Amino acid sequence: MPVFLNSDDADFERGFQAMLGAKREDSTDVNDAVTAIIRDVRARGDAALCELTSRFDRLDLTPGTLRFSADEIAAQVARVTPEDRAALMLAAERIRAYHARQMPEDASWTDPEGATLGWRWSAVAAAGLYVPGGQAAYPSSVLMNAIPARVAGVERLVICVPTPDGIINPLVLLAAQLSGVDEIYRIGGAQAVAAMAYGTETIAPVDKITGPGNAYVAAAKRQVFGRVGIDMIAGPSEVLVIADGDQNPDWLAWDLLAQAEHDADAQSILITTDPAMAEAVAAAVERIIPTLDRAAIAGASWRDFGTLIVVRDLDEAAVLSNRIAPEHLELCVADPEGLAAKCLHAGAIFLGAHTPEAVGDYVSGPNHVLPTARSARFSSGLSVMDFVKRTTLARLTPGALAAIGPAAVRLAASEGLQAHGASVQARLGTLNERLSE
Amino acid sequence: MPVFLNSDDADFERGFQAMLGAKREDSTDVNDAVTAIIRDVRARGDAALCELTSRFDRLDLTPGTLRFSADEIAAQVARVTPEDRAALMLAAERIRAYHARQMPEDASWTDPEGATLGWRWSAVAAAGLYVPGGQAAYPSSVLMNAIPARVAGVERLVICVPTPDGIINPLVLLAAQLSGVDEIYRIGGAQAVAAMAYGTETIAPVDKITGPGNAYVAAAKRQVFGRVGIDMIAGPSEVLVIADGDQNPDWLAWDLLAQAEHDADAQSILITTDPAMAEAVAAAVERIIPTLDRAAIAGASWRDFGTLIVVRDLDEAAVLSNRIAPEHLELCVADPEGLAAKCLHAGAIFLGAHTPEAVGDYVSGPNHVLPTARSARFSSGLSVMDFVKRTTLARLTPGALAAIGPAAVRLAASEGLQAHGASVQARLGTLNERLSE
């Protein structure tokens, strides 16, 4: 049964905290297994990749067949229906248009002391995108990861996608093609992450790895973090819908179930000012679940993590939303902009009754790779910023060094860093010569 | 002896790769110890903090004395000389002015389909800054971490600084005061990171932890990553100086030694087009080392990791610089801007002979917390961006949903996510009613 809470109840705080603290992830410790896989790939390269792919994906590869050939890609892409192709192209175009606005700007200025300061952005040289295989091989995720990288100017873009029993979703390859990626390897799991981080005979290493994956992929990304950059450690997905009493309960029920059908660990939460709305939505959810193809998954998610909360007013809803820091936040209220201004911690906000979260998964334009598990408190969804880095710039004139250098000398002395100070003094002609005799 | 390389030598590539791959970090595995400390702090809170501080810092605390009192801070700050205070204030003002320009802008626009899209930035609510104790308790690092957080609008800012045997550097407390931080705890190590990530009876948890630290602190930050945000895993510091033949070798020697004196694992590299310059700088370094207070540290760093490379021209220097991806890059050449344009991967660039790296450590304005160990390939120095996060925004009109919704329905079907499609169809009135009966 989903949890029903009312903020007027005496034990509300206890129930809310239990909901926040509910452990939604499998606690299986996969770290040791992942460490061994990474070590194996580093030591044996392609041979390890082929052996692990045979074991985990029941697919026999050689170094020469790790990568999809141009002919294989063309043959798979040709199987996509015109309708699916058109939909994917619309999505790609809208995602590209949104992300093109994210490119950060360089800056340069000269201050009164004569120091020219600023910064410059440049693209990561090579990025690797992990795409889960099987049922979770989402072409939309290919677009959401690859297009920001392309917009950023990443020159080399690699995709790793496992193909269990050799099966590949043709739309994944089409999405890669639409994003301009043709270096695609049919490997997955921790071994794919290791190959992208450290390289093998066939696969050159990349500088940054992004993309979702299972517990092995997440653990591998955490372990290679530092050697390469990573986007984030993705957890189970979640949605918070805040609704007033003037909504269509069926629409809200579908929104909650769109989240629940992802994963038995996904979480769907409704906060409403109207107790009758909470009841109506709960009833609609129960009515719909048995009709779903993924009834077992959605049903388990709703049963274990589904939550309905009745609050006094929308201000209280905003306070609770900020404590939840949801990945997806839908505001189905009369004044969604007014409420959004009070909801400070959320990955993505969907405003108004005609903006279901599902359009954000595919076609609205913003990225669907978003911070999960309360991490919207401190992190952002995937963007062009994930594929660029900033170099700070400073150029001092002799006059600028004379103006601000003595303060650096003083602070260096206070920190006991003599050569720091001397490097400034030598240029200012104030270095005590004894030091360099 | 430092390594001498010449790009014309037959075995140059081997020598350069050996330099790049040299292991500069202690391989001691501290992960298990850190895991135990974090578990202890989560289980026993303040009691664990006091016990661990007694053990590691030889300092007996109670929950009531974990935090510096206002009187204690005032008494310590009063000990700072006027000269040191003035230098620190100049540094703080310049760092604030530089970082104020980094605040990212919100965006909002409406596209032809009627979708209003955009994003909004908001500050992390609470951040914790780790400041190393003892000799490495640098007041400049307090400014470099705390000021960007303040500029970003972080409301609650916490500092943890260990005080072995009760000793604190008064300038650290003054730097905190200048940055507007008064919540300062005298704890360190993995236990401080655990306390900031999970909270104790006395210390409320934060959302983001930044700041340098030893191997225990680095391991703890890696382990709590996800629960809170972290800045980066800092490694040993490094500088690359690129020089033509028209430089003062003593100045360059001081710059290399300013890096070497930090840490025996630090690395100083000179690339020059002039073999005589390489010889002259090497000779100056050898002459200066014995005169340094930190001769043992600087000498060990130079002996084990110091490198001098002679190249044919500055284009070749830029290529090597991009492979090194240095934390600090000094361009002591006639046209530093021209060379900087070719150096794509660097944390910070210092242009021209009058911009020693040491001014960047203190007073030039850009941040001195920079990506180490080749991570400038994919990451940036600390900035205001580390203390804000982006929320994407989308609002569709019914017309916009009618225009782009069908593509979302199509893609949802291709991914087998029925409720995703239905949440759009329900609003468009195109839902097959059998589904919701």
Side-chain angles (χ1 to χ4, degrees):
Chain A
M1 281 296 97
V3 176
F4 263 92
L5 300 173
N6 189 309
S7 66
D8 277 339
D9 288 350
D11 62 350
F12 170 74
E13 184 59 28
R14 197 179 51 76
F16 186 77
Q17 292 225 20
M19 188 273 291
L20 275 188
K23 191 155 179 53
R24 288 162 50 212
E25 279 190 88
D26 202 338
S27 62
T28 313
D29 193 327
V30 301
N31 269 322
D32 292 345
V34 165
T35 302
I37 289 171
I38 293 174
R39 193 179 299 128
D40 192 23
V41 172
R42 289 185 68 177
R44 299 195 299 129
D46 288 345
L49 287 183
C50 293
E51 200 175 298
L52 291 161
T53 303
S54 175
R55 190 191 318 164
F56 294 127
D57 296 338
R58 301 161 303 280
L59 180 68
D60 290 325
L61 297 175
T62 64
T65 58
L66 283 171
R67 180 171 172 176
F68 277 96
S69 71
D71 287 348
E72 286 171 312
I73 294 172
Q76 289 289 339
V77 163
R79 295 173 51 206
V80 177
T81 67
E83 293 78 10
D84 281 349
R85 171 183 282 270
L88 207 59
M89 287 179 70
L90 176 77
E93 196 35 61
R94 291 187 59 87
I95 295 165
R96 189 173 289 117
Y98 182 90
H99 287 80
R101 294 179 180 250
Q102 290 182 327
M103 273 300 284
E105 288 184 12
D106 296 348
S108 180
W109 65 93
T110 300
D111 70 17
E113 286 76 23
T116 299
L117 303 172
W119 60 78
R120 190 189 69 189
W121 294 93
S122 56
V124 166
L129 162 55
Y130 187 87
V131 179
Q135 199 161 25
Y138 296 150
S140 57
S141 289
V142 175
L143 300 181
M144 292 291 182
N145 282 268
I147 290 175
R150 279 285 177 237
V151 168
V154 174
E155 286 199 6
R156 177 171 165 251
L157 204 48
V158 174
I159 288 178
C160 284
V161 53
T163 59
D165 300 307
I167 293 168
I168 178 74
N169 178 347
L171 277 166
V172 163
L173 296 181
L174 176 59
Q177 197 177 68
L178 292 176
S179 312
V181 183
D182 63 6
E183 187 177 342
I184 308 170
Y185 300 97
R186 50 190 129 213
I187 55 173
Q191 59 271 26
V193 175
M196 290 194 281
Y198 291 97
T200 69
E201 302 90 324
T202 300
I203 305 176
V206 303
D207 302 301
K208 175 116 188 183
I209 298 175
T210 69
N214 64 17
Y216 287 83
V217 171
K221 283 170 68 178
R222 189 185 285 267
Q223 289 189 23
V224 301
F225 171 49
R227 168 80 190 196
V228 296
I230 64 171
D231 53 340
M232 60 184 82
I233 307 289
S237 200
E238 74 236 353
V239 71
L240 167 60
V241 179
I242 300 181
D244 56 26
D246 197 22
Q247 303 296 321
N248 182 326
D250 276 14
W251 297 4
L252 306 186
W254 281 114
D255 295 346
L256 296 172
L257 287 168
Q259 200 61 36
E261 74 177 342
H262 267 298
D263 186 339
D265 287 328
Q267 183 167 45
S268 304
I269 307 170
L270 174 74
I271 298 182
T272 178
T273 48
D274 181 359
M277 181 61 62
E279 296 290 347
V281 171
V285 168
E286 299 294 350
R287 190 186 79 236
I288 293 169
I289 285 177
T291 73
L292 294 178
D293 296 338
R294 296 165 71 94
I297 292 170
S301 160
W302 182 246
R303 179 191 69 223
D304 295 340
F305 303 111
T307 305
L308 302 120
I309 304 175
V310 176
V311 291
R312 264 160 291 170
D313 53 38
L314 291 177
D315 280 347
E316 192 172 37
V319 169
L320 296 181
S321 174
N322 286 335
R323 291 179 64 189
I324 294 169
E327 180 189 9
H328 306 101
L329 175 60
E330 258 190 48
L331 303 181
C332 297
V333 297
D335 175 20
E337 283 81 7
L339 182 54
K342 297 172 186 164
C343 295
L344 301 177
H345 312 304
I349 301 183
F350 303 85
L351 297 107
H354 295 275
T355 317
E357 187 274 326
V359 296
D361 284 339
Y362 298 110
V363 294
S364 64
N367 211 287
H368 79 193
V369 181
L370 294 164
T372 59
R374 304 192 63 218
S375 63
R377 292 175 297 126
F378 55 80
S379 65
S380 309
L382 198 70
S383 78
V384 169
M385 303 296 288
D386 288 283
F387 299 99
V388 295
K389 64 271 187 323
R390 184 195 329 94
T391 299
T392 61
L393 301 166
R395 178 171 194 169
L396 269 58
T397 57
L401 187 64
I404 69 175
V409 173
R410 185 96 211 164
L411 292 170
S414 82
E415 294 184 356
L417 296 173
Q418 177 189 2
H420 280 64
S423 73
V424 175
Q425 292 173 299
R427 287 162 165 96
L428 295 177
T430 59
L431 184 62
N432 183 333
E433 283 303 321
R434 277 181 304 133
L435 288 177
S436 53
E437 269 167 14
Chain B
M1 281 299 98
V3 176
F4 263 92
L5 299 172
N6 189 311
S7 67
D8 277 338
D9 288 350
D11 62 348
F12 171 74
E13 184 58 28
R14 198 180 50 77
F16 186 76
Q17 291 224 19
M19 188 273 290
L20 275 188
K23 191 155 178 55
R24 287 163 49 212
E25 278 191 88
D26 203 337
S27 62
T28 313
D29 194 325
V30 302
N31 269 323
D32 291 346
V34 165
T35 302
I37 289 171
I38 294 174
R39 193 179 298 129
D40 192 23
V41 172
R42 290 185 66 177
R44 299 195 299 130
D46 287 345
L49 286 183
C50 294
E51 201 175 298
L52 291 161
T53 302
S54 175
R55 189 191 319 163
F56 294 126
D57 296 337
R58 301 162 302 281
L59 181 68
D60 291 324
L61 297 175
T62 64
T65 57
L66 284 171
R67 180 172 172 175
F68 278 95
S69 72
D71 287 348
E72 286 171 312
I73 294 172
Q76 289 289 341
V77 163
R79 296 172 50 206
V80 176
T81 66
E83 293 78 10
D84 281 349
R85 171 184 284 270
L88 206 59
M89 287 179 69
L90 175 77
E93 197 35 62
R94 292 187 57 88
I95 295 164
R96 188 173 291 116
Y98 182 91
H99 288 80
R101 294 179 181 249
Q102 290 181 327
M103 274 299 285
E105 288 184 11
D106 296 348
S108 180
W109 66 93
T110 301
D111 70 18
E113 286 74 24
T116 300
L117 304 172
W119 61 78
R120 190 189 68 190
W121 294 93
S122 56
V124 166
L129 162 54
Y130 187 87
V131 179
Q135 200 162 23
Y138 295 150
S140 57
S141 290
V142 174
L143 300 181
M144 292 290 182
N145 281 269
I147 289 175
R150 279 287 176 236
V151 168
V154 174
E155 286 199 6
R156 178 171 165 253
L157 203 47
V158 175
I159 288 177
C160 284
V161 54
T163 59
D165 301 306
I167 293 168
I168 178 78
N169 178 348
L171 276 166
V172 163
L173 296 181
L174 176 59
Q177 196 176 70
L178 291 176
S179 313
V181 183
D182 63 6
E183 187 177 343
I184 308 169
Y185 300 97
R186 50 190 129 215
I187 54 173
Q191 59 273 24
V193 174
M196 291 193 280
Y198 291 97
T200 69
E201 303 90 324
T202 299
I203 304 175
V206 303
D207 302 302
K208 175 117 190 182
I209 298 175
T210 69
N214 63 17
Y216 287 83
V217 172
K221 283 170 69 180
R222 189 185 286 267
Q223 289 189 23
V224 302
F225 171 50
R227 168 79 189 197
V228 297
I230 63 171
D231 53 342
M232 61 184 83
I233 308 290
S237 201
E238 74 235 353
V239 70
L240 167 60
V241 179
I242 300 180
D244 56 26
D246 196 23
Q247 303 296 321
N248 182 325
D250 276 14
W251 296 5
L252 306 186
W254 281 114
D255 296 345
L256 296 172
L257 287 168
Q259 200 61 35
E261 74 177 343
H262 266 298
D263 187 339
D265 287 328
Q267 183 168 44
S268 304
I269 306 170
L270 174 74
I271 297 182
T272 179
T273 48
D274 181 358
M277 180 63 62
E279 296 290 346
V281 172
V285 168
E286 300 293 350
R287 189 187 80 233
I288 294 169
I289 286 177
T291 74
L292 294 177
D293 295 337
R294 296 166 70 94
I297 292 171
S301 161
W302 182 246
R303 178 191 68 223
D304 295 340
F305 303 111
T307 304
L308 302 122
I309 304 176
V310 176
V311 291
R312 264 161 291 171
D313 53 38
L314 292 176
D315 281 347
E316 192 173 35
V319 169
L320 296 182
S321 174
N322 286 336
R323 290 179 64 188
I324 294 169
E327 180 189 9
H328 306 101
L329 175 60
E330 259 190 47
L331 303 180
C332 297
V333 297
D335 175 20
E337 283 80 7
L339 182 55
K342 298 172 188 165
C343 295
L344 301 177
H345 312 304
I349 302 182
F350 304 85
L351 298 106
H354 295 275
T355 318
E357 187 273 327
V359 296
D361 285 339
Y362 297 110
V363 294
S364 63
N367 211 288
H368 80 194
V369 181
L370 294 165
T372 58
R374 305 191 62 217
S375 63
R377 292 175 296 127
F378 54 81
S379 67
S380 309
L382 198 70
S383 78
V384 169
M385 303 297 287
D386 288 284
F387 299 99
V388 295
K389 63 270 186 327
R390 183 194 331 93
T391 299
T392 61
L393 302 166
R395 179 170 195 170
L396 271 58
T397 58
L401 187 63
I404 68 175
V409 173
R410 186 93 210 167
L411 292 170
S414 83
E415 294 184 355
L417 295 174
Q418 176 189 5
H420 280 64
S423 73
V424 175
Q425 291 173 301
R427 287 161 164 96
L428 295 178
T430 58
L431 183 62
N432 183 331
E433 281 302 323
R434 279 181 302 131
L435 287 178
S436 53
E437 266 167 14

